[in-house]
Amino acid sequence: MTSLAPYLRVKKQLANAVLEIIKLHPSRMTPDELLLLSEKVDATARFNYSKRRSNTYTRVNDFLRLAGLVPVETEG
C-alpha cells in the first residue's frame, strides 16, 4: 500500500490513515494502545460505509472497562 498511496486520488486520505494505523500497531498491545487504534479506525469509517461494522471505539472501551483493564473515569 505504501507504494500505491502516491498514485491514489479518491481515497488517498484513507490510505494514509490506514498506513498510520499499521505503523502504530504493536506486536503486543496494551489496553491503552488498543483504544488509541480503535479511535483511529473509527476515524477511517467516514471514508467507507459498512452496515456490518460492530466493533467501535465505544464497544472496545466498554468491554475493557467491564473486564477491569482500564480505569473507570469519574466526573469531578
Side-chain angles (χ1 to χ4, degrees):
M1 187 179 306
T2 305
S3 58
L4 182 63
Y7 301 101
L8 295 176
R9 291 185 182 167
V10 177
K11 294 204 175 187
K12 188 174 211 154
Q13 289 177 318
L14 174 61
N16 290 333
V18 170
L19 287 171
E20 181 183 355
I21 290 168
I22 292 169
K23 193 182 333 178
L24 292 173
H25 191 281
S27 57
R28 291 188 50 93
M29 198 175 312
T30 67
D32 288 335
E33 290 169 330
L34 178 59
L35 287 173
L36 174 69
L37 289 177
S38 295
E39 278 183 314
K40 293 193 176 294
V41 169
D42 281 358
T44 65
R46 68 186 174 108
F47 297 103
N48 296 308
Y49 175 72
S50 174
K51 287 192 274 184
R52 298 176 59 194
R53 186 170 179 265
S54 60
N55 292 324
T56 62
Y57 170 84
T58 303
R59 289 198 62 193
V60 171
N61 190 28
D62 291 345
F63 173 80
L64 292 174
R65 289 190 192 291
L66 286 172
L69 296 172
V70 292
V72 176
E73 295 174 10
T74 58
E75 293 183 34

